[in-house]
Amino acid sequence: MAESVPEVPSGEAARLTGITKHFFGVAANEDVDFDLRWGEIHALLGENGAGKSTLCSVLAGLYHPDSGEIHLDGEPVDLSSPHQALDHGVGMVYQHFRLVDRFTVAENLTLGHPETGFFTSRRSLERQVGELGRRYGLEVSPQAAVWQLSVGEQQRVEILKLLYRGVRILILDEPTAVLTPQESQNLFHTLRALADDGQAIIFVTHKLDEVMAVADRVTVLRDGRKVGAMPTSEADPATLARMMVGRDLSVPERPRTAPGEPVLSIKGVTAEGDRGLEAIRDVEIEVRASQIVGVAGVAGNGQRELAEVVTGLRRPKRGQIIMGGVDITRSSTLDRIKLGLGFVPEDRMRTGMAGGLPLAANLALKAYRQPPLSRGPVLSKQAVEYRARTLEKQFDIRGVRGALPTSLLSGGNIQRAILARELSAQPRVLVAAAPTRGLDVAAIQAIRQLLIEEAEAGTAILMISEDLEEILDLSDEVIVLYEGQVMGRLPRDRADPDLLGMLMAGRTVDAA
Amino acid sequence: MNLSLGSRRLTVESRPVASRTVRFLAPTFSVALAFVIGALILLATGQDPVLAYTEMIRKGFLGRLAITGTLIIATPLIFTGLAAVVAFRMKVWNIGAEGQFILGAVASSGVGLWVGDQVGGPAGIVLMLVAGALAGALFAALAALPRAYLNTDEVISTLMLNFVALGIMNYLIFSSFSFWRDPGRATFPVGKFVEDVLLLPRMVGRLHVGLIIALAFTVIIWWALRYTKWGFEVMVTGDSPRAALYSGMRVDRKILSVLMVSGALAGLGGGIEVGGVLGNLDPRALSLGVGFTGIVVAALARLSPFGVIPVAILVASFSNAAPGLQVLGIPSEIVILLEGILFLCIVAGEWFLRNAIRVERMAGPAGAEAPAS
């Protein structure tokens, strides 16, 4: 139990030496050393595919390393399952939460807990949850069902679950990816309180600001190897970025071309979500040629439905969508594609790509209908392959190995491939949903650069993103969605993170 | 998944792609294992497995009569196998090839009886076969329409429609004086025979040109799946229906067309069985489970159109050898048993294509590793 850790321990919590882990001949970790002290927040920084998740999974008992040793509290250990790791007090909060939606918070906590008997005292459990919650700022109602909770609250449940299980080494895999700026701040306070109580925390991220804001020390990984480790007091963002990427980074500059004609008009659109409730209500958005309109908001506030309504995957209940003077409200997805609508969906692996198919097929997903890829009903394999080779070169898509499934590519390369496919169709309107979510710094930069160039070339871009930095860097106009409604509409020069954060949390702001 | 055995640890990891060697070894071992298990069962029941297996090969393949008999039995299996391949490729589970095959036979024998010798041989045969394919397609559409537009479960609907088809056929011959029934036979009801000109030409012995048609359709299906826009859409929809919708494909129409093509293949198989082997609507000869065996054939062929041919021939050789085994005192059920064991072994073998087993020593990082599969 967590309350049985009254004295603050000191010294080494975990030491990993010479960790090597290969997947199918590719080194995910190569001779990585890592050490963690009690009472510290240790950031693990690196791009996607740098081996952060693998290293954490080794410590969490999910993967067994090919070679290398793990010491916990000075003792060598063999962790061959997450269960064993938990018994040693090591627990991980994954990016995708592992909670049972229909169960209450309390039920999720007891699930799989070794002391859970056939009968469990609900009252004592709820008392403990309340105590843990108060102590670390993890308040959440024990009786609430998980599906009723916001993403931030679900994350608290994940952390509570581990604390309740007696975990003293806490690993968080990109915990802020799903949070609002305010929620992230709260999480940082929680982590600090835990560290002050002697817990050891590994904080996986690729965001430099977060490292600087919350971590005591940082270890940087690149290409599966450790590049360096240092206290954050001795680090600065530019150095860390260089270590992470291996070269200097330049921030893409957004030139300001005067916007042209309105190309996409969303007029008073209301649509239902999957549960039959109104997911977006009376949404009004206009996007002009050469303009990037950013739609900000916390995940689950109607962004997905908005994108689907525009692209024809969802029928609106009311309202009108006009593209290039044509009313497309009732048009099929195919007709919209033919009119010049491009779409980068947020669900890359199942919507944006058929993950089990080779990349060449995925790059042909829309172009296969016309010559040169097909003539009449007949598809030209050579043309499909040739086009794939060309796009791979043009958009620098790497890691492609013949007929292997696309899902084996890294997130960044998959996203490049989706953009390659969409942009090569020369769209008039591009809807980009979470275009850089989960990507590494270099890929984010490349994708943003592509979007900027596309806008400069005259395309109207509707960019839906939960990443405020991205919204602020790229958008000409920012629209904030909250519970399916437009909370505010700000030109770029009047938008700032605090104002947007408040609008995203549903507070009306005079300036908006 | 981990399993500790003494000082060693077995680790199972999923592998995205199996190497060429594994893809060859897994099915080979599976087939070998099936025959070993079959031999053990034969031994346990006091039979001589060597005798049984040599007899199966002899009666299935050796000699003109054996091989033509096997190929005749294989022909309808190729059709129902292809029917399953087409549907399963898109992850649409047509379990109704049996019924579509039967209705194909009903329709083509009906058309055959109706045209008589009015249009001559070739035209009449084409009419019969087209009718068979059409009937199979339309019968499949009964399940396909609600699947495409109301998202009903096609497994249930196609499965249940098999019984409808069987009922229709039995009614036409046994329970009514229909157009199909031979009024001349009062004792045991049989179907009326079509004119001799409507029978499929024979090549060697009783082996009819249906086999050639089956091979032709194998090539057509292979080509259509691989080299047409339709095949591309089937592939994308099968892998990810959402990606298909997103790229503007009409998933509902694809479901409809795939199920109807699947039904047409099974129905054509039924028509060819009437025109090539039976000559009439014979309920007993048409309800031997050819549609269900087709599913097994497709699965063993790993949904490859060309794989269907050898598998269908192998399975057909079992059936062809069964009566011969009976004569030797070996129960003919052994072939059904072998079919089942073969299926289970191949399915189990599939697992090795998707997962790799590694053996490591627990002590120290320098543990030896060897892929065990």
Side-chain angles (χ1 to χ4, degrees):
Chain A
M1 293 299 105
E3 58 259 66
S4 65
V5 198
E7 81 218 50
V8 176
S10 57
E12 193 174 87
R15 170 176 292 280
L16 284 74
T17 22
I19 299 294
T20 297
K21 178 72 184 170
H22 289 243
F23 289 105
F24 318 114
V26 180
N29 280 158
E30 190 75 59
D31 195 22
V32 176
D33 296 338
F34 179 79
D35 72 289
L36 179 69
R37 294 175 204 145
W38 294 116
E40 77 166 347
I41 301 178
H42 194 138
L44 197 51
L45 180 69
E47 297 194 280
N48 269 51
K52 308 183 298 269
S53 294
T54 306
L55 190 66
C56 290
S57 300
V58 164
L59 183 56
L62 200 63
Y63 297 142
H64 196 258
D66 298 338
S67 62
E69 284 173 43
I70 304 172
H71 290 258
L72 291 178
D73 243 347
E75 299 288 316
V77 290
D78 183 65
L79 305 173
S80 58
S81 72
H83 205 86
Q84 277 187 12
L86 281 171
D87 289 343
H88 280 99
V90 181
M92 179 150 160
V93 176
Y94 296 88
Q95 277 185 50
H96 301 282
F97 300 149
R98 308 199 166 178
L99 299 171
V100 183
D101 268 3
R102 291 185 184 281
F103 281 17
T104 65
V105 171
E107 283 164 344
N108 268 288
L109 289 178
T110 48
L111 199 65
H113 193 282
E115 280 167 33
T116 301
F118 196 75
F119 300 100
T120 307
S121 160
R122 187 168 286 251
R123 206 170 307 141
S124 92
L125 173 73
E126 286 174 2
R127 204 195 61 238
Q128 288 180 40
V129 171
E131 260 169 39
L132 283 173
R134 269 190 304 283
R135 190 145 118 215
Y136 300 116
L138 291 166
E139 281 95 352
V140 53
S141 159
Q143 298 94 341
V146 164
W147 62 266
Q148 298 171 312
L149 303 178
S150 72
V151 176
E153 288 172 318
Q154 293 187 15
Q155 191 177 56
R156 286 183 212 161
V157 178
E158 283 280 13
I159 297 174
L160 278 174
K161 199 167 79 178
L162 295 178
L163 294 179
Y164 182 66
R165 187 72 161 72
V167 160
R168 293 161 64 225
I169 296 176
L170 198 62
I171 308 167
L172 296 108
D173 193 3
E174 309 230 356
T176 57
V178 290
L179 303 180
T180 61
Q182 282 86 354
E183 282 176 324
S184 296
Q185 284 308 317
N186 289 338
L187 174 69
F188 294 162
H189 287 306
T190 298
L191 296 184
R192 181 47 64 196
L194 286 167
D196 288 345
D197 264 9
Q199 307 253 357
I201 293 162
I202 300 177
F203 181 87
V204 179
T205 186
H206 58 250
K207 293 184 183 157
L208 297 168
D209 312 348
E210 293 180 354
V211 174
M212 300 309 289
V214 73
D216 301 305
R217 273 199 305 158
V218 53
T219 293
V220 185
L221 295 183
R222 185 171 77 230
D223 296 333
R225 288 167 191 278
K226 176 176 170 179
V227 188
M230 62 183 81
T232 33
S233 52
E234 293 167 20
D236 67 89
T239 319
L240 289 177
R242 209 173 306 118
M243 287 168 75
M244 179 163 70
V245 186
R247 59 186 161 81
D248 283 312
L249 280 177
S250 59
V251 178
E253 198 55 41
R254 169 90 169 96
R256 304 287 157 190
T257 324
E261 294 285 294
V263 187
L264 176 72
S265 308
I266 301 164
K267 295 183 170 172
V269 167
T270 297
E272 290 176 350
D274 292 336
R275 287 193 188 146
L277 305 172
E278 280 184 6
I280 51 173
R281 210 171 315 138
D282 301 321
V283 170
E284 297 267 349
I285 298 174
E286 189 178 76
V287 193
R288 295 165 173 271
S290 289
Q291 197 186 24
I292 299 181
V293 172
V295 177
V298 181
N301 276 287
Q303 292 97 323
R304 188 164 66 87
E305 289 80 1
L306 174 65
E308 288 179 351
V309 161
V310 175
T311 51
L313 293 172
R314 187 177 293 273
R315 298 272 151 218
K317 222 164 81 175
R318 287 194 302 276
Q320 230 186 353
I321 302 163
I322 307 218
M323 191 176 130
V326 183
D327 185 340
I328 58 163
T329 317
R330 308 255 156 241
S331 303
S332 68
T333 303
L334 182 55
D335 287 339
R336 294 176 205 221
I337 292 170
K338 285 180 178 161
L339 279 169
L341 179 71
F343 180 28
V344 178
E346 77 179 323
D347 176 10
R348 283 169 215 145
M349 277 330 303
R350 280 179 308 137
T351 309
M353 290 279 179
L357 303 185
L359 183 67
N362 273 308
L363 287 173
L365 264 192
K366 288 176 176 174
Y368 78 96
R369 297 188 177 88
Q370 300 105 31
L373 296 200
S374 63
R375 287 205 166 68
V378 181
L379 194 72
S380 162
K381 284 261 168 186
Q382 282 109 314
V384 168
E385 289 297 330
Y386 178 75
R387 181 186 138 89
R389 293 295 93 74
T390 316
L391 289 179
E392 280 160 24
K393 230 174 278 157
Q394 191 185 338
F395 286 85
D396 193 21
I397 305 165
R398 291 185 207 170
V400 188
R401 282 185 291 164
L404 290 192
T406 304
S407 56
L408 296 178
L409 296 182
S410 73
N413 281 309
I414 286 172
Q415 194 69 334
R416 271 178 226 256
I418 292 178
L419 274 160
R421 181 182 67 214
E422 298 304 313
L423 299 186
S424 63
Q426 296 176 322
R428 299 180 67 187
V429 175
L430 182 72
V431 178
T436 62
R437 183 200 286 160
L439 302 187
D440 58 60
V441 178
I444 289 175
Q445 203 190 8
I447 301 286
R448 289 186 186 167
Q449 190 61 46
L450 283 172
L451 290 176
I452 289 171
E453 283 166 14
E454 193 62 18
E456 289 311 303
T459 305
I461 299 181
L462 181 66
M463 183 181 74
I464 300 169
S465 176
E466 287 136 33
D467 185 341
L468 268 191
E469 195 191 322
E470 174 163 276
I471 292 272
L472 291 170
D473 282 353
L474 299 190
S475 312
D476 299 298
E477 193 184 37
V478 183
I479 288 188
V480 180
L481 269 191
Y482 175 73
E483 292 191 341
Q485 284 179 295
V486 175
M487 277 304 287
R489 195 183 305 274
L490 302 166
R492 165 68 191 91
D493 46 23
R494 276 176 49 211
D496 66 73
D498 291 334
L499 189 55
L500 289 179
M502 281 201 279
L503 289 168
M504 282 161 72
R507 269 187 277 167
T508 35
V509 177
D510 292 337
Chain B
M1 195 180 97
N2 291 303
L3 194 75
S4 297
L5 291 172
S7 66
R8 282 159 201 267
R9 180 212 307 270
L10 287 183
T11 316
V12 175
E13 283 176 358
S14 70
R15 60 172 138 215
V17 214
S19 70
R20 205 173 272 271
T21 330
V22 173
R23 268 183 293 168
F24 171 76
L25 284 180
T28 312
F29 272 122
S30 300
V31 172
L33 183 66
F35 281 98
V36 170
I37 296 174
L40 291 177
I41 293 174
L42 281 167
L43 277 175
T45 54
Q47 308 290 341
D48 179 357
V50 179
L51 177 70
Y53 286 158
T54 42
E55 198 57 21
M56 279 178 68
I57 292 168
R58 216 166 62 78
K59 290 274 165 44
F61 293 108
L62 304 181
R64 207 177 80 157
L65 207 59
I67 187 70
T68 53
T70 294
L71 291 177
I72 289 169
I73 298 172
T75 303
L77 290 180
I78 294 175
F79 280 105
T80 53
L82 287 176
V85 164
V86 169
F88 291 7
R89 275 282 183 101
M90 209 175 82
K91 298 196 174 77
V92 174
W93 311 108
N94 178 15
I95 314 295
E98 183 77 11
Q100 292 140 16
F101 176 82
I102 287 173
L103 276 201
V106 168
S108 67
S109 58
V111 167
L113 292 171
W114 178 60
V115 299
D117 53 3
Q118 302 291 303
V119 295
I125 289 172
V126 170
L127 277 178
M128 277 176 70
L129 297 187
V130 168
L134 212 58
L138 291 176
F139 197 57
L142 287 184
L145 283 167
R147 167 70 173 84
Y149 296 104
L150 303 169
N151 203 22
T152 57
D153 188 336
E154 79 276 10
V155 174
I156 308 287
S157 53
T158 53
L159 180 68
M160 298 316 274
L161 283 171
N162 288 330
F163 299 104
V164 175
L166 191 63
I168 290 173
M169 177 169 68
N170 285 338
Y171 172 79
L172 292 176
I173 300 300
F174 296 130
S175 313
S176 69
F177 290 95
S178 72
F179 180 59
W180 280 263
R181 182 163 163 179
D182 189 345
R185 306 277 193 92
T187 47
F188 189 80
V190 292
K192 217 187 302 175
F193 282 84
V194 299
E195 297 289 335
D196 283 352
V197 290
L198 295 178
L199 296 179
L200 294 181
R202 291 184 171 173
M203 301 182 297
V204 185
R206 290 175 54 241
L207 182 61
H208 54 88
V209 296
L211 179 69
I212 304 299
I213 303 176
L215 298 182
F217 270 93
T218 308
V219 175
I220 292 171
I221 293 299
W222 167 80
W223 177 79
L225 286 173
R226 212 179 151 86
Y227 292 103
T228 66
K229 286 201 268 192
W230 180 81
F232 183 76
E233 289 171 354
V234 166
M235 180 172 77
V236 173
T237 311
D239 189 77
S240 169
R242 273 196 73 77
L245 277 176
Y246 153 81
S247 42
M249 297 175 192
R250 291 289 304 266
V251 170
D252 45 2
R253 285 189 203 163
K254 206 80 343 177
I255 289 169
L256 200 58
S257 73
V258 154
L259 269 173
M260 287 180 72
V261 166
S262 174
L265 286 165
L268 180 59
I272 284 177
E273 196 64 2
V274 169
V277 179
L278 305 172
N280 68 345
L281 188 64
D282 181 346
R284 280 169 308 168
L286 288 165
S287 51
L288 297 175
V290 169
F292 294 119
T293 311
I295 294 169
V296 176
V297 168
L300 294 183
R302 310 199 58 231
L303 304 189
S304 141
F306 283 123
V308 162
I309 296 170
V311 176
I313 292 173
L314 180 70
V315 171
S317 79
F318 289 2
S319 314
N320 195 25
L325 293 176
Q326 194 82 32
V327 174
L328 290 175
I330 301 167
S332 64
E333 281 76 14
I334 184 68
V335 303
I336 299 171
L337 199 71
L338 257 179
E339 240 170 65
I341 296 169
L342 197 60
F343 185 66
L344 288 177
C345 287
I346 298 259
V347 170
E350 291 275 303
W351 186 86
F352 288 95
L353 295 178
R354 279 180 283 106
N355 296 282
I357 297 183
R358 288 141 56 92
V359 185
E360 347 178 2
R361 290 235 175 78
M362 301 263 271
E369 283 166 22
S373 55

